[in-house]
Amino acid sequence: MPDYASWSRRSAEQWHQLAGVLNEETGIDVAHSQPGGFMLCLSETELEQRRHTMQRLHNQMSLAEFPYEILDHDETKRRLPDIGKDVVGSVYSPLDGHVNSLKLFRALRDATQRRGVDYRPNCTVDSITTQDGGFRLRGAFGEIAAGKVVLAAGLGNARLAPMVGLDAPVKPSKGQVIVTEKTDAFLHNPMVTIRQTDEGGVMIGDSQEDRGFDTVVRQPILSVMAERAVRMFPRLAGLNVVRSWSALRVMSPDGFPIYDQSLSHPGAFVVTCHSGVTLAANHVLTLAPAILSGALPETLAAFSARRFHVPAHS
Amino acid sequence: MIAINAIDQLAEPYDIAIVGAGPAGLAAAARAAELGLSVLLADENPAPGGQIYRAVTTTPVAKRDVLGEDYWKGGALVERLTKTTASYAPGCTVWSVAPDEEGGFELGLSLGGRARLISAGQIILATGAQERPFPIPGWTLPGVMTAGAAQIALKSSGLVPSGRTVIAGCGPLLYLLAGQLAAAGADIVAVLDTTPRRNWLSALPALPDFLRSPYLAKGLKLMAAARGKLSFRTGVTALAAQGADKVTGVTVTRGGKTETIACDALLLHHGVIPGINLSNAAGCAQHFDTVQHCWTPTVDDWFASSIPGIAIAGDGAGIGGAESAALRGEIAALDAVRRLGHLTEGQRDSHAAPARAELARSLRGRRFLDLLYRPAETFLAPPANETIICRCEEVTAGQIRDTASRLGVTGPNQMKAFLRCGMGPCQGRLCGPTVVELIAQVHGVSPADTGYYRLRPPVKPITLAELAALPPSEAAVKAVVR
Amino acid sequence: MFRPIADIKPGPSLGFTFDGSPMTARAGDTVAAALLANGIQACRQTPVSGAARGPYCMMGVCFDCLVVIDGVGNRQGCLVPLREGMRIETQAGRRHPDGGQS
């Protein structure tokens, strides 16, 4: 989806600004940096597959807009001296950055608090109805009236969206992550499957499974992720694993975000994606002002859920 | 008994795997093995006995009366196990328990730096208790330890604190330790008793049972031994450890007056609570026990957890003491054997009858102690903002309170994401109960309504290399390599 | 600091080093107990603030007795039996991983 590539690129460009705003308003440094990222490949097949994906993407847009390099083992090793001999090569994307996502989460929450957002946890919304040109949200908590409603309930959007004439066909996609003890800083670039946070812990993993709402950590997946991580960076071998976790991604049928506004219920919006950290800059700096103004810009039309109802080309 | 000293000596599978070689685990393993089942008893300590009978077969303490007659009862439990065919693996950490595809369980074990997965038909968790966190300002200073730690040093190494020693807190173990350390020649300059005076009111209705219990005679003896020789100060309402890079004193508040007592060691104790990390990570249901004031795995009359095939015996399923732990291990083993089809329900019931009778007797009076020695609110949810709550990530009471109130955090898992409390190597063992208490206090709700950390394997650290060396499955490879 | 009780059963002792200083302790001690018996109260500095810490629970729960044993960092001293010739060092903050082998 070419629109997604430009949308995520735009977010990457604006992330510095978001980090600055958050730091200024909350005093929280979310440890944002943009040193470029690597995708390490452990076999020629993997590297070939990545090369193919990048080429396909590039047929849809200009190289200048989305730069990348395919590196062999030696060049990857020159840039990342700690890689193991099993790394056959890598894809380097100079625009990639990273951030401490837990700090981002807290900073966003802290900023909303300081901006006067009335946060009410543990309120499950059972129904949304329109009344007097606005909305009424009801549940065991009682009732809340609002002029506009933005559905940002992740997997809950699938249930909520139809209440306001919207569609959010999202499903859970399970992912597991391994976290190591804190260790000396050695990995300054983000990778798809390995990152070191500013606190020193290394997060490993990018599994994807379709297992409904099951979030039990399964050991075989941890093993495969650990084995690959140790081959990528042999120095990780002796580190202690202190935690693992699994959680559910919010996946649309094509994996891309859904941004939509209701035609039948003006003032109702749906926002959902599984890359809320990458896209946070867009969500804060572009999407939120657009929602406040009352309409999503034409540039986001491609993210409407209507795309899932177009008959496939035969 | 088959001693397992290397991970490749383990068989696979076992009928029953038991985690923890304290009284519950020893009794369960012996009973199941005596009934002809293949049993693995895995324990992370170097010798059997758990903490209460720590080093009972190896202790260098020669004089029996230093540790008291009750301690030496552990020897019989070990001896009984030795005569069976059970496999016993010391120094072996169980870091994961999960259902397998065949209706049994898969255990992740680590021994001598190598991990392995083995399967077992039934699981008995006998992981025992840990000391309730006792967060006061300065409790992270070297020289501040739990009372249990000093007892372990005494039992397993014949060591006592060498300088001026202060013991603070409340509960039977505190008085026992004070007596043991005094008998062993330690210089105890003060025993600071935090038992809240009003607890006598709530405990009083449970007094008649206590008066008929085996605790009474024991308790009186302990008290008399400790009080006779030691400087007891009751009514303590606040404590703070002093010192820059090690403890040099303790500030005590009693009756509104504050004084500082110089010391070289400060031993803290506010009772014990079940160690729930493994059962929680395995997915066993737990509840907040309002009498013992702690999270406790939910078990039935046979100590079966909410997951069929996993039983939890001993103090890990609610504090009852060593004698009751052994009995509970015995009963849990009988039910595990029945589940495997080697006993009928009737046989199980008749085998269990004597243990059940003894269990009722051994638990009589417990409630009185639980209510009397329940720590005061001010120690459960420390008022001083600078008090470190999460020792691993160094998160303070002030940060937790602020985040709970200002950012509307209502549960410990959210708190963990915001402040990292519970993310360190101890995995919430030393902060979980206090984090829950602080959040509950801020929002004016009960700990039960606040919830607890959701824990995950590995419940004890293993290296990435150990994890990487385990056999992968095809499905797992597909889920990761895309 | 800890000291042996007066009438301790006699037994063999083991030699080890802590941060390079030679020490001895009773065979059967854990690493954490051996350090306490040698007057060592602090055995690590935390990775968060650098504060000194020492053994707290002695039963594998608190992770405050973490030390480097024979070059391997962040090991729980209270769970590792002392061996002759062990090289024990202060765990100074974050773990230094073993160097890459390739």
Side-chain angles (χ1 to χ4, degrees):
Chain A
M1 192 182 195
D3 298 81
Y4 180 73
S6 6
W7 179 243
S8 86
R9 186 193 159 130
R10 178 196 173 97
S11 203
E13 284 165 356
Q14 302 216 312
W15 237 106
H16 278 296
Q17 195 188 331
L18 174 63
V21 169
L22 291 173
N23 201 348
E24 197 175 303
E25 292 193 16
T26 68
I28 298 170
D29 176 0
V30 296
H32 172 250
S33 69
Q34 220 165 339
F38 293 83
M39 187 179 283
L40 302 183
C41 298
L42 290 171
S43 72
E44 289 298 342
T45 321
E46 277 179 41
L47 188 61
E48 200 42 52
Q49 214 176 331
R50 299 291 174 213
R51 193 199 309 268
H52 184 70
T53 310
M54 297 311 279
Q55 271 165 359
R56 210 173 47 205
L57 191 60
H58 268 248
N59 291 339
Q60 299 165 331
M61 52 203 314
S62 79
L63 191 73
E65 210 184 344
F66 206 69
Y68 76 96
E69 292 174 77
I70 302 279
L71 311 177
D72 62 9
H73 172 87
D74 291 348
E75 181 54 23
T76 308
K77 178 107 184 159
R78 198 183 65 75
R79 301 189 195 185
L80 294 172
D82 286 323
I83 60 162
K85 60 177 175 15
D86 288 357
V87 176
V88 301
S90 66
V91 180
Y92 173 71
S93 309
L95 292 178
D96 285 358
H98 64 156
V99 63
N100 184 315
S101 51
L102 292 179
K103 286 183 179 170
L104 168 66
F105 183 26
R106 179 156 66 102
L108 287 171
R109 174 68 198 102
D110 204 311
T112 55
Q113 171 66 18
R114 288 168 196 266
R115 288 185 179 204
V117 172
D118 177 9
Y119 167 65
R120 302 198 195 169
N122 307 320
C123 290
T124 302
V125 173
D126 294 328
S127 75
I128 306 173
T129 53
T130 47
Q131 201 175 312
D132 310 329
F135 297 90
R136 284 190 181 271
L137 288 74
R138 293 190 183 84
F141 57 89
E143 192 175 304
I144 295 169
K148 287 198 183 80
V149 59
V150 182
L151 303 181
L155 292 165
N157 278 347
R159 178 177 64 87
L160 296 171
M163 295 178 190
V164 289
L166 287 165
D167 184 27
V170 286
K171 284 194 175 143
S173 160
K174 182 176 169 181
Q176 293 188 191
V177 171
I178 297 169
V179 186
T180 74
E181 63 189 343
K182 294 176 168 72
T183 182
D184 292 344
F186 78 99
L187 187 54
H188 305 283
N189 303 78
M191 319 252 149
V192 179
T193 55
I194 304 183
R195 289 183 187 207
Q196 185 173 27
T197 68
D198 52 315
E199 292 109 353
V202 181
M203 298 201 289
I204 297 162
D206 179 35
S207 68
Q208 244 178 58
E209 292 171 280
D210 185 5
R211 296 187 66 105
F213 284 82
D214 160 34
T215 56
V216 173
V217 168
R218 304 276 166 189
Q219 182 278 322
I221 297 232
L222 298 185
S223 296
V224 176
M225 299 195 308
E227 192 260 351
R228 288 177 62 83
V230 169
R231 280 164 67 202
M232 289 177 183
F233 293 100
R235 65 179 286 160
L236 294 175
L239 286 184
N240 286 323
V241 174
V242 291
R243 256 174 313 129
S244 70
W245 45 274
S246 80
L248 304 173
R249 296 183 191 83
V250 182
M251 279 298 212
S252 65
D254 59 8
F256 296 113
I258 299 173
Y259 306 124
D260 227 336
Q261 53 199 330
S262 176
L263 299 175
S264 61
H265 298 64
F269 298 82
V270 64
V271 175
T272 185
C273 70
H274 83 90
S275 39
V277 174
T278 306
L279 297 176
N282 283 355
H283 292 163
V284 172
L285 302 170
T286 307
L287 193 66
I291 288 170
L292 270 184
S293 78
L296 297 181
E298 197 44 42
T299 49
L300 292 182
F303 293 104
S304 165
R306 286 190 299 277
R307 70 184 187 268
F308 304 120
H309 305 298
V310 178
H313 294 289
S314 50
Chain B
M1 189 181 81
I2 305 160
I4 304 281
N5 300 309
I7 196 124
D8 42 21
Q9 292 170 355
L10 287 168
E12 188 196 346
Y14 289 91
D15 292 330
I16 302 182
I18 298 162
V19 186
L26 288 169
R31 187 68 186 222
E34 284 160 5
L35 288 165
L37 285 94
S38 70
V39 173
L40 171 66
L41 175 60
D43 186 58
E44 69 178 349
N45 292 297
Q51 303 311 330
I52 195 75
Y53 300 132
R54 176 91 179 206
V56 68
T57 53
T58 56
T59 181
V61 178
K63 270 173 67 184
R64 284 177 77 92
D65 54 352
V66 168
L67 295 171
E69 274 317 304
D70 279 347
Y71 171 74
W72 300 100
K73 287 182 186 164
L77 280 171
V78 178
E79 211 166 294
R80 177 178 170 199
L81 183 78
T82 314
K83 290 179 188 147
T84 71
T85 55
S87 292
Y88 162 63
C92 179
T93 301
V94 177
W95 49 267
S96 161
V97 171
D100 66 15
E101 311 290 324
E102 285 108 45
F105 295 89
E106 184 182 74
L107 265 81
L109 306 167
S110 174
L111 174 61
R114 281 172 61 208
R116 198 172 146 192
L117 300 171
I118 62 142
S119 62
Q122 296 281 311
I123 303 282
I124 299 175
L125 303 181
T127 50
Q130 64 162 73
E131 276 183 80
R132 187 192 298 278
F134 195 149
I136 57 170
W139 72 313
T140 53
L141 287 168
V144 181
M145 298 173 86
T146 66
Q151 207 181 30
I152 288 163
L154 176 60
K155 288 172 183 171
S156 56
S157 300
L159 296 171
V160 290
S162 56
R164 298 158 298 177
T165 303
V166 173
I167 301 176
C170 63
L173 194 132
L174 186 92
Y175 311 124
L176 172 64
L177 176 81
Q180 288 174 331
L181 288 185
D187 175 20
I188 298 167
V189 294
V191 179
L192 308 174
D193 195 320
T194 59
T195 311
R197 294 211 163 99
R198 65 168 189 283
N199 277 10
W200 281 100
L201 280 179
S202 47
L204 214 53
L207 183 62
D209 252 357
F210 177 73
L211 293 177
R212 296 189 294 123
S213 80
Y215 285 114
L216 180 67
K218 245 185 248 179
L220 288 179
K221 226 165 99 186
L222 286 178
M223 281 287 209
R227 287 205 186 232
K229 295 182 209 143
L230 303 171
S231 159
F232 255 73
R233 301 183 205 191
T234 58
V236 171
T237 54
L239 290 165
Q242 305 294 339
D245 48 13
K246 62 174 186 171
V247 68
T248 54
V250 55
T251 302
V252 194
T253 306
R254 326 164 46 212
K257 289 199 195 99
T258 298
E259 61 170 327
T260 299
I261 303 171
C263 67
D264 306 297
L266 172 61
L267 306 176
L268 301 174
H269 179 75
H270 263 160
V272 295
I273 59 176
I276 56 172
N277 278 49
L278 188 51
S279 63
N280 178 314
C284 301
Q286 59 188 32
H287 64 277
F288 191 81
D289 183 322
T290 51
V291 175
Q292 302 200 330
H293 203 81
C294 54
W295 289 93
T296 304
T298 305
V299 293
D300 68 12
D301 281 352
W302 295 94
F303 308 107
S305 77
S306 62
I307 298 182
I310 301 183
I312 307 169
D315 278 1
I319 305 306
E323 265 181 67
S324 102
L327 297 165
R328 289 187 282 171
E330 191 107 359
I331 294 167
L334 289 169
D335 192 47
V337 175
R338 192 269 310 169
R339 281 171 189 263
L340 290 168
H342 291 249
L343 284 179
T344 65
E345 273 191 30
Q347 287 169 324
R348 174 200 67 179
D349 293 355
S350 60
H351 279 306
R356 282 205 181 279
E358 266 197 83
L359 180 64
R361 189 192 55 84
S362 81
L363 290 174
R364 199 187 295 147
R366 181 83 227 168
R367 187 184 165 86
F368 176 75
L369 296 176
D370 291 337
L371 293 170
L372 180 60
Y373 295 122
R374 177 174 161 173
E377 190 73 7
T378 176
F379 291 110
L380 294 170
N385 278 340
E386 74 274 17
T387 314
I388 286 178
I389 302 303
C390 170
R391 298 171 64 101
C392 297
E393 294 287 342
E394 298 180 56
V395 181
T396 65
Q399 287 174 289
I400 292 165
R401 258 193 292 268
D402 171 68
T403 306
S405 60
R406 199 170 54 81
L407 301 189
V409 171
T410 58
N413 291 301
Q414 174 85 72
M415 192 64 79
K416 185 172 172 179
F418 277 179
L419 294 181
R420 301 188 61 82
C421 49
M423 281 196 183
C426 99
Q427 300 176 343
R429 287 171 172 89
L430 268 289
C431 72
T434 317
V435 168
V436 169
E437 207 77 44
L438 288 165
I439 296 172
Q441 196 185 55
V442 163
H443 295 294
V445 299
S446 68
D449 290 334
T450 306
Y452 195 74
Y453 289 137
R454 173 155 188 200
L455 303 168
R456 307 282 202 168
V459 299
K460 278 294 182 85
I462 57 167
T463 66
L464 208 57
E466 284 179 88
L467 201 50
L470 295 173
S473 71
E474 211 172 295
V477 173
K478 218 172 123 196
V480 177
V481 187
R482 298 185 310 278
Chain C
M1 277 185 267
F2 281 68
R3 62 168 173 79
I5 55 173
D7 45 2
I8 193 165
K9 267 187 206 164
S13 70
L14 302 172
F16 67 100
T17 62
F18 179 68
D19 288 343
S21 306
M23 297 178 178
T24 59
R26 202 188 63 87
D29 281 357
T30 61
V31 165
L35 292 177
L36 290 174
N38 279 272
I40 308 297
Q41 270 184 320
C43 62
R44 72 170 186 125
Q45 289 119 32
T46 68
V48 177
S49 71
R53 294 277 177 90
Y56 176 73
C57 79
M58 294 294 277
M59 54 182 274
V61 170
C62 76
F63 291 77
D64 262 326
C65 63
L66 296 174
V67 284
V68 183
I69 300 177
D70 292 333
V72 180
N74 271 353
R75 297 204 64 194
Q76 287 182 274
C78 73
L79 291 179
V80 179
L82 185 72
R83 301 262 179 256
E84 177 63 36
M86 255 183 183
R87 195 160 45 83
I88 303 164
E89 294 162 274
T90 296
Q91 176 67 50
R94 291 180 184 188
R95 171 82 179 277
H96 311 286
D98 321 326
Q101 298 95 345
S102 61

